[in-house]
Amino acid sequence: MTKNKIVLLLFTIVAAIQLSVPLNMVWQWEDIRQTGQQYQWLTTPVDPYDALRGRYVDLGFKAAQGPLASGEKLSNGQTVYATLGVDANGYAYISTVSANKPETGDYVKARALYLSGGMMHVVLPFNRYYMREDLAPAAEIAYRKSAGKDGRVIVRIKNGMGVVEQLYIGEKTIEERINSY
Amino acid sequence: MNRKALAWLYEQLPDLVTKGVVPAETAERIRAFYGPLPEGMGRRILFIVFGLTGTLLVGLGIVMILGHNWDQLSRLTRLLISLGLLATAQVAAGLVLWRRADSEAWREGTAVFLTLAVGTSIALVGQTYHLVDDFKNFLLIWMLLSVPLVYLMDVKGVAGMYLAGVMVWLVPVQPGGMTKQAAWVLLALILPYCWRLFKTNRYANAAVILAWLLVLSFYACFSLTWDKHLWEILYASLFSATFFTGLLWFGDTDKAWQKPFQAVGLLGGLGMAYYLSSGPWGGRVYHYGLYPLGRGEYLMGFGLFALAAGLAVLLARRGLARFVPLGALPAVVAVGYLLQDANNSGLLITILMNIYLLGISVLVILQGVREVRLGVLNSGMLMLVALILFRFFDYSYSFIARGIAFTLIGLAFLAVNMMMARRKNGVME
């Protein structure tokens, strides 16, 4: 085999690896979107100074904390597993926070924030909603007005990971809401 | 032989022949020996630069046009665009490798385009699924997926992007933990390519830019992976070794910007010396007592010190001993450590550091005078003035102490001046 042929062969292998990375991402996240369990999360306002990022809306969740599993000690920043439940109104909440993966039920891999009154506050891994750059600021304002009232996020959960499907303000999606202004 | 010199020679030859300095036959033989004037570098570089800029603009333009109505596209369309962009770039680069592998401009252009496409497609897929971007991870994956192109396509543009990416990647890495040592692996991945480039022509523009990036990312790596213990000797030795390396292997040029090793090594060392010369050093030196021997920092300190010393010996052998004092900071720091052990107020070593700076300033001035080089003379004057100003406004010493020191040193200068004037007069008579 000539040197040029070897280079071409190696290049093909490298190209295949390069393509496999985004393809694998698509595969993984599309699977969660298709077969993951749907959860509805109520939103809360986020720190406005931190929120205006331009390309996306920063999301905050009302139920971003849960009781710490008995006998466990967690340190700040540690990866934790939040077991999920659904309340009487159909909204998601965290039933326990633990350092160990639960054996049954849906869970989310999250980051421990702080403990207060036996409740572990966590950072959920799905806290962004990407939008067009020129729409994101308007969306941000709409989100802030509705957060804590009728803003909710639909998230698909599978194997500890979650992917945001849609952001709703009242009955309308955020895109419909902005276009109706 | 460089093109300019050859062009000058060929311009002179006819004149030399007509004036009878060189016989026509010899002129012909000179021409035959050197061959035709090599084609100008200018056009080739222009071709590459325009090619690179063009591909970059086209790539960014496409992304912006697509981004314009991105949210109206279905998920499938977005994914097809993201992956299609990458696949197109790969096909383009592959075709160039297959058909036009000899054209540097095509290789550089398509490789940069492909590198951008890799990053863009990963970012676009992430955005489609509203993923919280872990920038550090994203950058790492992007760089690792791009670095093979440097070798397969022999491209400098991607090598530069890779080094810049590694430097940005290093910034958010917290010192501590295992990830920090991975920085060295990342740096090592590009070293063979830089080595090859330096071996062929280390003063070519691309090689010089890569050398700058290499030196800077090396220091970024080092500062993250070594703790603060013994930093004085570690950095002093490293700056000296960098400076000496530059003098030994990157010194055959007059242009300052082509000397990244000298610039970083010298300025880093001087900056450190000025910093250590102010205020009592005692508060700054970490004085933990003796560690058990064999601790990493000690070994590293000894190792780097030995490296700098070895390079200094090499310099002296090559007749460049006059530069050694400028890189003698590690030796001064080592003496400083010993003094610190005897008297840990830090006063002695601060004085020592001031003497060192005064000494090398005077040396540089003398060298400037001897070689009649105004630039060197002025640099020495600048170093001296900086030292004087720093000390004048240094409030860690009383007015009396500073006043006496200034007066004594000033008198010494005047005395030396008088002696030199007398000697000169003696010679004139």
Side-chain angles (χ1 to χ4, degrees):
Chain A
M1 214 150 66
T2 60
K3 192 191 162 208
N4 197 25
K5 273 198 181 142
I6 296 172
V7 168
L8 271 176
L9 181 72
L10 287 175
F11 177 81
T12 316
I13 296 170
V14 168
I17 297 171
Q18 285 175 341
L19 259 179
S20 75
V21 171
L23 268 177
N24 191 41
M25 283 169 76
V26 172
W27 179 267
Q28 185 187 4
W29 294 105
E30 199 54 40
D31 178 52
I32 296 171
R33 263 197 88 121
Q34 304 289 341
T35 63
Q37 185 64 42
Q38 211 176 38
Y39 282 88
Q40 268 195 85
W41 295 80
L42 279 177
T43 58
T44 51
V46 286
D47 179 7
Y49 295 105
D50 213 36
L52 268 173
R53 290 263 173 79
R55 289 180 302 127
Y56 54 83
V57 181
D58 235 345
L59 305 174
F61 301 97
K62 222 172 200 173
Q65 69 281 323
L68 183 62
S70 55
E72 282 197 38
K73 266 195 165 175
L74 298 174
S75 52
N76 187 351
Q78 191 183 338
T79 303
V80 293
Y81 297 91
T83 310
L84 302 181
V86 178
D87 67 11
N89 297 319
Y91 293 114
Y93 71 94
I94 295 173
S95 58
T96 45
V97 176
S98 165
N100 304 308
K101 203 189 275 188
E103 278 162 18
T104 54
D106 283 324
Y107 63 92
V108 178
K109 241 194 206 169
R111 197 158 48 81
L113 216 52
Y114 61 92
L115 190 66
S116 142
M119 299 293 269
M120 192 74 206
H121 291 249
V122 297
V123 181
L124 292 168
F126 37 80
N127 51 18
R128 269 180 201 184
Y129 189 81
Y130 281 90
M131 299 205 62
R132 235 171 67 193
E133 204 157 341
D134 50 336
L135 295 183
E140 189 70 51
I141 294 165
Y143 170 83
R144 216 177 303 149
K145 277 186 192 156
S146 73
K149 293 189 286 260
D150 57 352
R152 62 208 164 85
V153 180
I154 309 292
V155 182
R156 290 269 187 177
I157 308 274
K158 191 181 177 179
N159 300 332
M161 292 188 288
V163 52
V164 174
E165 236 178 24
Q166 192 52 263
L167 168 58
Y168 283 98
I169 294 195
E171 288 308 306
K172 286 180 177 169
T173 67
I174 184 96
E175 287 88 359
E176 287 168 347
R177 187 57 173 258
I178 292 168
N179 289 333
S180 66
Y181 281 143
Chain B
M1 197 171 187
N2 83 43
R3 191 178 180 275
K4 257 188 195 162
L6 202 57
W8 177 86
L9 181 66
Y10 283 3
E11 204 183 275
Q12 296 292 313
L13 275 180
D15 200 32
L16 293 174
V17 171
T18 49
K19 285 181 183 154
V21 180
V22 175
E25 197 190 329
T26 312
E28 268 320 298
R29 273 165 66 185
I30 289 175
R31 261 187 248 273
F33 179 74
Y34 286 114
L37 210 58
E39 204 178 309
M41 291 287 284
R43 268 185 64 188
R44 200 169 61 89
I45 289 172
L46 202 67
F47 193 45
I48 295 170
V49 168
F50 275 28
L52 276 180
T53 319
T55 21
L56 201 71
L57 288 176
V58 169
L60 291 175
I62 291 173
V63 170
M64 275 195 272
I65 292 168
L66 293 174
H68 170 66
N69 50 3
W70 192 243
D71 63 339
Q72 283 154 24
L73 303 174
S74 72
R75 218 162 62 247
L76 184 67
T77 323
R78 291 186 205 185
L79 294 176
L80 284 178
I81 291 172
S82 313
L83 296 171
L85 179 77
L86 178 56
T88 313
Q90 287 178 332
V91 169
L95 278 177
V96 164
L97 262 188
W98 186 27
R99 290 284 181 202
R100 300 290 308 266
D102 53 332
S103 159
E104 197 181 356
W106 276 107
R107 273 188 287 118
E108 290 282 348
T110 48
V112 166
F113 183 48
L114 177 51
T115 304
L116 289 175
V118 169
T120 312
S121 77
I122 295 175
L124 286 179
V125 169
Q127 198 158 330
T128 304
Y129 291 101
H130 304 290
L131 304 185
V132 177
D133 54 358
D134 181 351
F135 181 68
K136 222 178 81 178
N137 240 336
F138 163 71
L139 202 62
L140 182 64
I141 292 171
W142 184 13
M143 289 306 119
L144 286 177
L145 286 176
S146 310
V147 74
L149 298 178
V150 174
Y151 292 94
L152 289 174
M153 301 184 73
D154 183 15
V155 281
K156 291 143 199 149
V158 178
M161 285 168 79
Y162 175 80
L163 274 175
V166 168
M167 245 193 292
V168 176
W169 182 79
L170 282 169
V171 174
V173 176
Q174 294 301 314
M178 269 311 287
T179 39
K180 64 177 188 177
Q181 300 299 349
W184 292 113
V185 179
L186 288 181
L187 206 61
L189 285 179
I190 201 73
L191 277 181
Y193 187 75
C194 294
W195 182 261
R196 212 173 69 196
L197 211 59
F198 294 156
K199 269 183 96 171
T200 29
N201 183 2
R202 63 199 69 170
Y203 304 112
N205 288 340
V208 172
I209 293 171
L210 274 188
W212 272 102
L213 285 169
L214 192 66
V215 173
L216 293 175
S217 38
F218 176 85
Y219 276 92
C221 261
F222 191 85
S223 68
L224 278 171
T225 48
W226 282 92
D227 283 339
K228 299 279 182 280
H229 308 297
L230 296 177
W231 73 270
E232 299 91 354
I233 193 83
L234 287 178
Y235 278 94
S237 305
L238 205 56
F239 281 130
S240 283
T242 312
F243 178 54
F244 292 159
T245 301
L247 287 170
L248 282 167
W249 294 290
F250 294 83
D252 297 327
T253 171
D254 290 331
K255 299 191 181 100
W257 86 278
Q258 290 182 332
K259 301 177 181 173
F261 291 89
Q262 288 96 311
V264 171
L266 185 61
L267 291 178
L270 280 179
M272 242 187 97
Y274 279 108
Y275 174 72
L276 294 175
S277 73
S278 61
W281 204 20
R284 295 202 181 120
V285 175
Y286 287 89
H287 203 70
Y288 294 122
L290 288 173
Y291 295 104
L293 248 152
R295 233 188 114 98
E297 284 86 3
Y298 275 93
L299 282 179
M300 193 73 181
F302 279 123
L304 286 175
F305 188 88
L307 175 70
L311 291 171
V313 171
L314 261 180
L315 266 181
R317 283 206 188 142
R318 287 212 198 163
L320 294 166
R322 63 181 184 281
F323 290 113
V324 172
L326 285 175
L329 185 64
V332 181
V333 169
V335 174
Y337 276 148
L338 296 178
L339 289 177
Q340 176 77 356
D341 212 42
N343 167 13
N344 69 6
S345 72
L347 183 67
L348 290 178
I349 40 185
T350 313
I351 292 174
L352 181 73
M353 201 53 76
N354 278 289
I355 292 174
Y356 170 64
L357 276 171
L358 185 67
I360 56 172
S361 307
V362 172
L363 268 181
V364 172
I365 293 173
L366 288 179
Q367 194 191 332
V369 172
R370 214 172 18 237
E371 296 174 12
V372 202
R373 285 171 64 186
L374 216 56
V376 178
L377 178 69
N378 285 341
S379 308
M381 295 293 286
L382 197 69
M383 283 160 65
L384 190 62
V385 168
L387 184 65
I388 292 171
L389 282 180
F390 280 144
R391 286 301 77 78
F392 190 79
F393 293 108
D394 192 342
Y395 296 112
S396 15
Y397 304 107
S398 72
F399 276 103
I400 306 266
R402 276 182 285 158
I404 292 172
F406 269 72
T407 316
L408 286 178
I409 295 168
L411 282 174
F413 266 95
L414 291 175
V416 169
N417 213 13
M418 226 151 75
M419 260 160 52
M420 284 206 308
R422 258 197 215 143
R423 201 182 296 167
K424 201 177 164 194
N425 286 339
V427 170
M428 300 264 269
E429 284 162 15

